[in-house]
Amino acid sequence: MFKIVNFCVGSVASKPNFVSNGGWFALPYIQNRTITSKKFREKKPKPAPFPYKERRYNYFWALFDKTFSRFDENTKLIVIEGPIGSGKNELAKYLADEFEMKYIPDITMDFEYINDSGYDMRNLDPKLPESVQSFDENDFLRDPYHINCAAFQIAKYRLRWIKYWQTLEHILSTGQGVVTVRSPFSTGIFTNAMRECNYISEPAKYYYNEIVRHTILYLYRPHLVVYLDVPVDKTMENIKKRNRDLEVNGKALTREFVQNMEDCYKDFYLREASFHSLVLHYNWVEGGDSEIVVEDIERIDFDQYLDQDVDDLKLVDWRKDEDLMDNERRIFSLKQEEYRHFFDTVLIYDAPEVLAPGQDVEIHQKLWESSPGEIYAPGYNYDQGDSVLFKNRRLKKWAF
């Protein structure tokens, strides 16, 4: 006698596995075609998450740890997009809870400037030349015409790229879906708006686009993009309502800048995203109903696009057999010191605002490497209280 469970392998309906369940073998059942909320989701036995943060997924582990063994109907990547102050994070958290996915917020420059020992590298600014001083979100809001604004936008893209890379590693290693806010695919929205408002130069925008062209192809596009549509007047009202000093009193978030962002979203990004991802577009003027979004997502038949014989480009990044997915999962296990060279292949010809003078870079590098927590690899910095047996040079992060 066999006990039947609702078995799902996400994007690989053509290759079902048999799962042991309480001493019985479960027969493969017609998989759920949609993402399922927690109140309707049936728990299925699957291997424990692969400890990707402590152990690298290599050829050896690929023999025994198959990627599809953890996939189910909720092994999806959802990206929430929308204008400033539209409520993206609130919706992302709600969806992550409803679908039992991991919530990952948008990246900030803290990821770059606060090291593993908790030291804020922005404290070095008084000792650094202006061209290599830190520049974060607050600096942009305060003075978007600053010489470091273009370098900041390129750095922001790199950080989003890193976050997204690590997001894909999480999905492939654990089978858990992810809901995140913004992605590297939409960072160009800000770049175009910054250029239209003359915050950055045309050569800087060209250099940014070249970096994107050389690096974005390594990433899987999301299964679903949810766009929260808020008119410019309402966005400006929301910015004033949440009353953050630099957003209200700074020079960056002008009506022109916000309008340019909305135009780029609707005229370019959403149209391009719809070729490879499913897109849900909501009027979010009054905040919208998160439960309706959940219901709409549950109605989407993802499997019709995940079949390997389908000609449509939608979800083509996820439409791979298990051997290929295992191989690409090994690539996503690369760490920062290994994939940093993806960004070093683009030459700068005519964008001085993103290229600091060599002597300034040398000063920055020497000060950075001698700062607290940066002298040796994490765990080997005796000045931070680490127990030191062996000393190694730090190779984990690089300065922008």
Side-chain angles (χ1 to χ4, degrees):
M1 180 178 179
F2 293 95
K3 182 178 180 181
I4 298 178
V5 298
N6 185 8
F7 181 77
C8 178
V9 292
S11 63
V12 283
S14 61
K15 299 182 68 174
N17 298 324
F18 289 86
V19 182
S20 176
N21 184 12
W24 297 98
F25 281 100
L27 293 176
Y29 187 72
I30 297 176
Q31 65 178 351
N32 290 342
R33 290 181 170 272
T34 68
I35 296 175
T36 308
S37 59
K38 59 185 178 183
K39 58 185 175 183
F40 298 115
R41 192 179 181 200
E42 181 179 352
K43 300 294 184 182
K44 311 173 189 66
K46 63 170 70 175
F50 183 83
Y52 63 93
K53 293 183 179 179
E54 294 80 32
R55 183 185 301 161
R56 182 166 178 166
Y57 186 76
N58 52 27
Y59 283 107
F60 173 78
W61 288 110
L63 295 174
F64 305 99
D65 193 280
K66 309 307 289 182
T67 302
F68 287 161
S69 65
R70 298 184 181 88
F71 279 24
D72 59 27
E73 70 273 15
N74 283 22
T75 305
K76 303 290 192 300
L77 176 53
I78 301 174
V79 174
I80 312 299
E81 297 281 358
I84 299 166
S86 57
K88 296 181 295 296
N89 284 289
E90 291 78 3
L91 178 62
K93 290 176 184 178
Y94 183 84
L95 295 180
D97 178 66
E98 282 296 309
F99 297 131
E100 297 180 312
M101 294 180 174
K102 181 180 178 66
Y103 161 69
I104 299 180
D106 192 14
I107 202 75
T108 70
M109 293 301 292
D110 286 352
F111 180 86
E112 173 58 21
Y113 292 132
I114 299 179
N115 67 18
D116 297 293
S117 299
Y119 182 76
D120 193 331
M121 309 302 286
R122 287 169 284 208
N123 294 329
L124 302 176
D125 283 348
K127 303 177 182 179
L128 292 170
E130 184 181 28
S131 65
V132 289
Q133 288 178 0
S134 66
F135 196 89
D136 58 19
E137 293 82 6
N138 289 334
D139 294 316
F140 167 71
L141 293 172
R142 186 181 297 109
D143 183 11
Y145 298 99
H146 194 278
I147 187 65
N148 292 341
C149 185
F152 156 74
Q153 180 60 10
I154 292 170
K156 197 73 182 249
Y157 168 76
R158 292 182 180 183
L159 293 180
R160 281 205 179 105
W161 191 97
I162 292 170
K163 181 199 77 166
Y164 199 87
W165 179 282
Q166 295 171 347
T167 296
L168 294 173
E169 183 184 16
H170 174 83
I171 293 172
L172 299 181
S173 299
T174 68
Q176 183 185 28
V178 168
V179 184
T180 188
V181 176
R182 292 205 172 101
S183 76
F185 297 97
S186 64
T187 308
I189 299 294
F190 289 90
T191 306
N192 289 334
M194 290 164 72
R195 175 62 196 126
E196 290 296 321
C197 294
N198 290 315
Y199 296 165
I200 62 175
S201 68
E202 187 63 34
K205 177 186 172 184
Y206 175 81
Y207 177 58
Y208 167 87
N209 288 334
E210 284 296 288
I211 289 178
V212 172
R213 188 169 68 87
H214 282 78
T215 57
I216 204 74
L217 71 165
Y218 293 103
L219 304 178
Y220 293 1
R221 284 154 290 207
H223 291 84
L224 175 65
V225 174
V226 178
Y227 178 69
L228 308 183
D229 192 354
V230 179
V232 173
D233 288 339
K234 183 63 176 178
T235 297
M236 300 303 293
E237 180 184 323
N238 290 340
I239 291 172
K240 291 181 180 179
K241 186 181 296 184
R242 66 183 190 179
N243 198 29
R244 296 178 182 176
D245 180 50
L246 289 175
E247 288 185 353
V248 176
N249 300 314
K251 301 177 182 179
L253 299 186
T254 64
R255 181 182 179 84
E256 179 188 7
F257 181 77
V258 174
Q259 183 66 63
N260 284 325
M261 284 188 59
E262 180 181 31
D263 292 343
C264 197
Y265 260 124
K266 294 180 177 178
D267 297 340
F268 173 72
Y269 174 74
L270 292 177
R271 176 173 54 82
E272 291 296 316
S274 66
F275 286 122
H276 297 92
S277 305
L278 282 300
V279 175
L280 291 178
H281 188 148
Y282 292 95
N283 182 338
W284 215 253
V285 177
E286 302 301 329
D289 189 334
S290 299
E291 292 185 9
I292 291 178
V293 179
V294 170
E295 293 172 1
D296 289 343
I297 292 174
E298 287 182 314
R299 293 191 185 99
I300 298 175
D301 180 3
F302 288 93
D303 284 355
Q304 65 176 308
Y305 303 107
L306 290 168
D307 191 320
Q308 294 183 15
D309 295 328
V310 173
D311 292 331
D312 199 308
L313 289 176
K314 276 188 173 58
L315 309 190
V316 67
D317 294 342
W318 301 88
R319 201 186 306 157
K320 296 168 179 155
D321 60 40
E322 189 163 39
D323 290 337
L324 180 56
M325 192 72 84
D326 288 345
N327 183 62
E328 296 191 350
R329 180 178 160 198
R330 286 191 303 101
I331 297 173
F332 286 120
S333 71
L334 295 176
K335 303 308 176 185
Q336 285 189 41
E337 63 270 19
E338 297 171 300
Y339 58 66
R340 60 180 291 183
H341 69 274
F342 295 163
F343 294 91
D344 296 336
T345 58
V346 184
L347 300 178
I348 306 175
Y349 295 104
D350 185 26
E353 60 193 297
V354 299
L355 186 62
Q359 61 270 25
D360 292 357
V361 174
E362 184 178 10
I363 295 171
H364 176 275
Q365 184 175 358
K366 287 181 179 179
L367 239 120
W368 188 285
E369 292 182 350
S370 62
S371 60
E374 292 289 323
I375 301 174
Y376 301 108
Y380 294 88
N381 290 279
Y382 60 87
D383 60 323
Q384 300 300 303
D386 295 338
S387 177
V388 180
L389 294 177
F390 303 99
K391 294 181 179 179
N392 297 305
R393 293 297 295 171
R394 178 182 175 85
L395 293 173
K396 182 169 181 280
K397 293 183 181 178
W398 68 95
F400 295 137

